[in-house]
Amino acid sequence: MLTRRIKSPDISIDLGDPDLFGNDAAEEEDRDVLASYFVEKKSLASFYSSSRPLKIVRARKGMGKSALLRKIDHHVSRQESAAFTVKAHGADLVGLADLSSSDPLALIGRWQEAICRLINLELSKRIRFAVNDASMLIVESAEIANFKERNVIGALLDRLKFKGVPLEVAKTPARDGYRLLKAYTENAGALNAWLLIDDIDSTFLNTPDARLRVSTFFSALRKLATEFAGLTIRVSVRTDVWTTIARADEAMDKCEQHTHDLTWSRAEFRSMQCKKILSYVQRHFPRSAVAGWSVTANASDLLALVFPKTLTWSGRPVPADDLVHRLAHSRPRWSGQLCRLAGHVAAMRGSPRILMQNIVAVLAQFRKLRLDDLHREHQHQFAAIQALTEAFARGDHIYDTDRLLETIHEGFVVKYGGLGNLPPLDGRHVQRPLELAHFLFRIGFISARDVHPSGYVGYVPYEERPQLLANSINRDDGFAWDIHPSYRRHLGIGQKKRQRRQ
């Protein structure tokens, strides 16, 4: 057998078991398993309370937005037996809505209609006996939409109408979802429903039409949360997308109070690592003494089951969980991928724990995954994104604005045959290299480099200064530009300086 198991008082852990570090896709993880290693934060307490009808979580990819929504789903199923959840991805809603209008009020109404239809479809599954016109029509509209089998009684209701909802069931049930839900709640009272929407921005393009569609979606949520008692809405959005649409639509200011930026401190990251290990032990060795350990009292012991106490990085010892936190740049998904890759190598080599040489062995692959992630996430916005990032290969990691634009022009635009040959960026023809620089800033490939008088170097992301690189009047506000460390090594960035030092 290729795997090597390390010993603890009464268990052995398979370092190559992919379940050890959880599932990268939260929507594919078992709800109970995810809940067992999810780290609760005081700042997230309001997300579990129905007294806050609308909450929006913002974060970059891999930070745990989907995991939070799935954890809320688990919480509702365990704590609120009378409540029901309606789960959807952005694509589900887009398929239900006609978003062809350019009128903001019309789009808000169409988003509301699509969301109410989604709630009605779930509600129809829970209406065991339709005691009034509204509930009968909800069931019937679901049947006609092929979400439930059509029954004999339904066939007799084809021409049924009721006061306040001029709905001819046989022809137009899908168009009156909002009024139908309104009528239902007037009879039945509060909904006691949780609406969980993920990835509304999964294929976002930074065009006027797309910005309007997404911003009106959030306006529609705010109206629904106000109008329907007992409806609790939780939704996720990428931080850069929120910043982009907020700049374009002042109505987003009213949604700002409902937002929360998801981040993880080093201590929370350590707790997450410990909880994943403990959860694994409790699932695979439920009768062991280790299964009775706690993250609070036995954090170091739990980490010692998988890692040495310290790992050597840049010539000095660093706590293992701290190094993983740094290499993963505080993103839970990235840490799981890194540990899984290194654990597999450790098992193949017979290492007693995940050692530094195991991590070093997978860093090239891990960094390639990070760049591939970036390309996949934004390929739909700019088809030549890979060639654009390759323009920085084997160069430096710090650029002033003039040199940044020169590199983009000489290393990408010229080689591509000129601006006229470039694919569209967010659906528009690229007219200046500055637009490509702003795109790289927005997606996190580069950050503004802020050098303090003390010598400390800080980094300013797009979310803090979205106006940088947006026009020629104040391109950089005195900042230089730094390529994100996750992408440097795979592109050979900074290697010349390292070779000169050697």
Side-chain angles (χ1 to χ4, degrees), residues 93-95 97-102 106-108 110-111 114 209 213 216:
L93 284 174
V94 170
D98 174 10
L99 302 175
S100 58
S101 176
S102 59
L107 285 174
I108 291 172
R110 292 174 185 182
W111 277 121
D209 287 345
R213 283 195 295 270
T216 52

Side-chain angles (χ1 to χ4, degrees), residues 131-138 160-163 180 187:
V131 296
N132 56 52
D133 289 343
S135 56
M136 282 191 289
L137 282 171
I138 283 179
L160 179 65
K161 298 180 181 180
F162 63 94
K163 185 178 181 181
L180 190 54
N187 286 290

Side-chain angles (χ1 to χ4, degrees), residues 105-119:
L105 292 179
L107 285 174
I108 291 172
R110 292 174 185 182
W111 277 121
Q112 288 184 129
E113 175 64 30
I115 294 167
C116 288
R117 284 184 62 196
L118 199 66
I119 296 172

